[in-house]
Amino acid sequence: MFAYALRSLVLGLLVLVAVAFIAFSMFRFVGDPVANMVGQEATLQDRQELSERLGLNDPWPVQFVRFMGNAARGEFGVSYRQGRKVSDLIQERLPATVELAVLSAIFSTVFGVMLGIYAAIHRTGFVSNTIMTLSLVGVSLPTFLIGIGLIYVFAVELRMLPSFGRGDVVKIGWWSTGLLTESGLKSLVMPVLTLGFFQLTLIMRLVRSEMLEAMRTDYVRFARARGISERSIQMRHALRNTLVPVVTIAGLQLGSVIAFAIVTETVFQWPGLGSLFVNAVQFADVPVMAAYLMFVASVFVIVSLVVDLLYFVIDPRLRSQSRLGKAH
Amino acid sequence: MSTLSSSPQPEQQESRWHRFYDSDLVYAFRHSPVAILSALLSLFMIGGALVGPYFVPQDPFDPAALNLMDGMTKPGVPNEFTNNMFLFGTDPQGRDMLSAVVYGTRVSLLVGAASVLFSMVFGVLLGLIAGYYGGKVESIVMRVADVQLSFPAILIALLVFGVARGVIPPAQQESATLFLLIIAIGLSNWAQYARTVRGSTLIEKDREYVQAARVSGRSGLAIMALHILPNVMGPITVIATINLALAIIEEATLSFLGVGMPPTQPSLGTLIRIGQQFLFSGEWWILLFPALTLIVLALAINLLGDWLRDALNPKLR
């Protein structure tokens, strides 16, 4: 198991270096960092001095290594547009996105698994047919339209929930949380539903099809022959074997959670990383774009590492294999 | 004999038509109400986008055609000043929403179709080369495809867009947006084609007809283009259909985020972005009609692609 974890770790680090290289090339090819920092009246000599001081005259491998060193410490320089340190901007906006993403992941996993089990057990009922049809519609609905629809119903017509922003937040150290105030919680409802909906339909369909497949296997038939109750077969035998693909997909889908978070944050004017990134794209603000790219890549690597390790917890076959030294 | 020989031409035509009519695919199509409905809807929307501009009341983006007095007319109700009727209503500038939606659908479909074509050509080419030649080329292409597939398409498109914003001079940006969108969306979707084509090429290249072509001295390029390509196109059409719906949604999302089509040449996404501003003041029709069009368009193409996948896959029948 140790060798396996190490292998995933090395692969992840390779991905990070590759993404860092892309981010680094953006700095080199998009815009001129010196022109972005000096004023209109700077002389040619001023410019040369500045680019010497910034190390822009060094050979590019040296610059790349320096860039990676800075990136590892979370330093990406100063935003071209806002004139503030990118690390400060990220730190300020991180809590909003993390709270949104984690809550919607919990929401979609819990309800997705429950609805999926229900639709698999009652294959042909009216309720499961309705759920399945709705999920198909949900897959083809663009995220931002779901958000706008929710705003129309709950903010414009019913006036129950706020239509934008985070509401009142409480500061705990540098972390700002919306979970402790009433308006903060109210503001979370619609963004979480919007962001979680696509995930929910996906997880639900996956759980359903995996469950149906598991119910046809020999061990389930055997369990039935042994007189084990139907509930116990479903929950203890079939469900457990559906968990491996569900965990894989749910983990890999975290990427799309981040992507849809960009859209959701724009719809609800949520002050998170996604809206920061969209603004950066509009104004070609390279330091912010590079920092966001590195952030997303790190999340990916960490999540896929966790997913890889979770396999060992969920699937006993992998454990015995690695003990025999046959893992790879 | 002479009576028989006089009529082979029409008979053959008829039997060809019959063969087409009775083929598995058409049979499956005739017996699937969902497929017929979604095909009709898709055809209606695509046809409307193609010829619609000749039928709609005005060119919504010609300022001379707009009358401010017509502004904010409710759908289907005569305007209080000018007494003009608008089926879908008008926006504050007096722009007929039906015309705007038709023009917007046109832009959305154009960007969608062109980007699908772009990613298809790009992906199929790379997949063929990777599968046929193998070795280092294959492992590099497939590694890149893996990384690309694990990153969400919208993020890649946004990055491509952001980089282009920095590289292209501001004066040309608005006119370049259409091409930028096509390239950005195209580049974010090629990996699926490459993977599928590589898989089928690996199987096809060891078949006897490919060996025969190789023995008879055809070049690698000719074998790939003329022999292998036609045999791997089946799954590609399915992916392309489903990707068309995805590309249209992706374009709408980018435009909604404000990094896509400008308001001077709006797609459905831009229209929704504009319409959202009127949601709170009660002018629901400025938002509703572009949104409904987008939903119906994406859903119809999606259902058609779903059906096509099931119909071409004998395992599921």
Side-chain angles (χ1 to χ4, degrees):
Chain A
M1 169 157 174
F2 181 70
Y4 182 73
L6 198 69
R7 202 184 109 98
S8 315
L9 192 67
V10 169
L11 268 178
L13 284 178
L14 278 179
V15 169
L16 276 186
V17 171
V19 174
F21 187 72
I22 296 174
F24 171 70
S25 349
M26 286 201 316
F27 270 105
R28 282 182 66 86
F29 296 116
V30 181
D32 177 5
V34 175
N36 279 309
M37 293 171 111
V38 297
Q40 293 272 321
E41 285 96 45
T43 60
L44 199 61
Q45 208 191 344
D46 288 344
R47 284 165 190 255
Q48 268 162 1
E49 265 170 25
L50 184 62
S51 67
E52 187 65 42
R53 198 149 42 87
L54 292 173
L56 294 173
N57 296 337
D58 296 342
W60 72 262
V62 176
Q63 288 191 41
F64 181 50
V65 170
R66 194 185 305 135
F67 173 82
M68 293 228 300
N70 287 336
R73 281 182 284 120
E75 290 299 330
F76 289 89
V78 175
S79 158
Y80 291 169
R81 189 167 155 261
Q82 308 200 25
R84 297 177 51 199
K85 270 172 76 181
V86 176
S87 49
D88 289 349
L89 285 175
I90 298 250
Q91 201 186 56
E92 190 179 293
R93 298 220 172 194
L94 185 68
T97 297
V98 169
E99 281 181 1
L100 177 61
V102 168
L103 281 181
S104 70
I106 294 173
F107 160 75
S108 58
T109 314
V110 169
F111 283 90
V113 170
M114 279 185 351
L115 288 174
I117 295 173
Y118 181 87
I121 294 174
H122 310 272
R123 259 192 86 175
T124 47
F126 171 74
V127 181
S128 2
N129 279 340
T130 321
I131 295 174
M132 292 313 287
T133 318
L134 277 181
S135 81
L136 191 68
V137 176
V139 169
S140 16
L141 262 183
T143 311
F144 63 95
L145 281 183
I146 297 175
I148 293 176
L150 286 175
I151 289 182
Y152 184 72
V153 174
F154 291 106
V156 179
E157 289 295 321
L158 299 177
R159 296 175 192 278
M160 281 165 56
L161 297 168
S163 67
F164 67 91
R166 284 184 84 187
D168 299 327
V169 290
V170 179
K171 282 262 181 192
I172 303 174
W174 60 272
W175 188 275
S176 64
T177 179
L179 296 173
L180 298 175
T181 60
E182 199 198 328
S183 72
L185 284 174
K186 268 185 168 175
S187 308
L188 267 165
V189 174
M190 287 200 293
V192 165
L193 284 181
T194 310
L195 188 54
F197 190 70
F198 181 80
Q199 306 289 105
L200 182 128
T201 53
L202 199 99
I203 292 177
M204 188 192 90
R205 294 180 83 88
L206 189 74
V207 169
R208 174 179 174 272
S209 67
E210 290 289 331
M211 270 290 267
L212 286 178
E213 207 158 284
M215 293 302 279
R216 278 198 290 266
T217 52
D218 284 343
Y219 63 81
V220 165
R221 201 174 307 160
F222 234 80
R224 242 183 228 136
R226 277 160 59 206
I228 294 170
S229 76
E230 198 64 17
R231 169 121 314 190
S232 167
I233 290 173
Q234 284 156 358
M235 295 304 151
R236 298 194 45 192
H237 297 253
L239 182 63
R240 271 203 191 172
N241 282 286
T242 65
L243 281 182
V244 172
V246 171
V247 167
T248 313
I249 298 288
L252 291 179
Q253 281 299 312
L254 201 92
S256 33
V257 170
I258 291 165
F260 288 118
I262 298 174
V263 180
T264 311
E265 287 179 10
T266 309
V267 175
F268 293 101
Q269 297 168 39
W270 192 257
L273 289 174
S275 46
L276 183 73
F277 178 63
V278 169
N279 283 331
V281 166
Q282 277 165 342
F283 296 97
D285 193 346
V286 176
V288 177
M289 278 163 67
Y292 184 79
L293 187 63
M294 287 307 293
F295 168 76
V296 172
S298 324
V299 171
F300 263 102
V301 168
I302 294 169
V303 166
S304 66
L305 203 64
V306 171
V307 167
D308 275 352
L309 294 181
L310 266 182
Y311 285 161
F312 278 91
V313 182
I314 297 171
D315 196 338
R317 280 170 299 186
L318 280 175
R319 260 174 278 166
S320 64
Q321 255 177 15
S322 77
R323 212 171 293 140
L324 294 171
K326 281 191 219 157
H328 287 281
Chain B
M1 265 322 241
S2 61
T3 49
L4 273 176
S5 61
S6 66
S7 61
Q9 202 57 35
E11 200 175 278
Q12 207 179 4
Q13 259 180 3
E14 196 176 80
S15 75
R16 195 176 291 164
W17 163 246
H18 266 287
R19 224 184 307 147
F20 173 72
Y21 191 73
D22 285 333
S23 69
D24 283 351
L25 198 60
V26 179
Y27 180 85
F29 183 77
R30 280 188 291 137
H31 289 258
S32 163
V34 176
I36 295 175
L37 189 71
S38 55
L40 282 179
L41 267 176
S42 311
L43 275 181
F44 173 73
M45 314 261 299
I46 293 169
L50 285 179
V51 301
Y54 301 103
F55 292 97
V56 292
Q58 53 170 240
D59 176 357
F61 303 107
D62 172 15
L66 305 180
N67 180 358
L68 269 181
M69 297 297 281
D70 285 333
M72 295 289 188
T73 313
K74 282 189 178 153
V77 177
N79 184 285
E80 48 184 316
F81 306 111
T82 58
N83 231 22
N84 289 333
M85 283 267 280
F86 295 94
L87 188 60
F88 282 9
T90 62
D91 75 354
Q93 278 94 46
R95 183 174 292 140
D96 170 37
M97 285 314 288
L98 175 63
S99 315
V101 164
V102 167
Y103 275 74
T105 311
R106 210 172 145 94
V107 176
S108 285
L109 272 171
L110 178 70
V111 173
S115 65
V116 164
L117 202 68
F118 181 93
S119 49
M120 186 164 84
V121 171
F122 194 68
V124 168
L125 209 66
L126 282 178
L128 271 177
I129 292 171
Y132 189 76
Y133 290 116
K136 249 190 196 132
V137 186
E138 181 182 19
S139 51
I140 291 174
V141 170
M142 287 350 270
R143 252 340 112 246
V144 177
D146 282 347
V147 174
Q148 142 96 78
L149 274 179
S150 62
F151 271 86
I154 198 92
L155 192 62
I156 294 169
L158 275 171
L159 271 178
V160 173
F161 217 88
V163 169
R165 275 271 158 106
V167 173
I168 298 174
Q172 285 150 30
Q173 266 176 10
E174 198 156 298
S175 54
T177 307
L178 188 75
F179 298 100
L180 262 180
L181 270 180
I182 293 171
I183 293 170
I185 299 173
L187 275 184
S188 62
N189 284 319
W190 61 274
Q192 222 182 342
Y193 298 96
R195 249 195 197 178
T196 315
V197 169
R198 171 185 161 265
S200 357
T201 307
L202 282 180
I203 299 167
E204 295 294 326
K205 78 169 179 188
D206 291 331
R207 292 264 167 88
E208 276 155 1
Y209 69 90
V210 175
Q211 284 172 359
R214 211 176 291 153
V215 166
S216 65
R218 302 213 85 161
S219 69
L221 200 69
I223 294 176
M224 279 192 274
L226 301 173
H227 299 270
I228 298 180
L229 186 61
N231 286 299
V232 300
M233 280 313 278
I236 294 304
T237 47
V238 176
I239 299 179
T241 316
I242 292 175
N243 268 358
L244 178 60
L246 288 180
I248 288 172
I249 289 182
E250 207 179 320
E251 185 279 327
T253 307
L254 286 176
S255 294
F256 176 77
L257 293 178
V259 294
M261 297 305 293
T264 46
Q265 199 191 350
S267 67
L268 290 174
T270 322
L271 290 175
I272 293 169
R273 178 187 170 81
I274 298 169
Q276 197 200 3
Q277 299 160 4
F278 299 100
L279 195 59
F280 283 93
S281 48
E283 283 91 19
W284 48 270
W285 58 92
I286 304 175
L287 174 71
L288 181 73
F289 292 113
L292 269 186
T293 314
L294 180 67
I295 294 173
V296 173
L297 188 64
L299 193 64
I301 298 176
N302 234 338
L303 284 173
L304 199 61
D306 255 3
W307 167 82
L308 198 62
R309 182 181 55 200
D310 294 350
L312 287 177
N313 188 351
K315 267 191 229 154
L316 292 173
R317 224 177 278 158

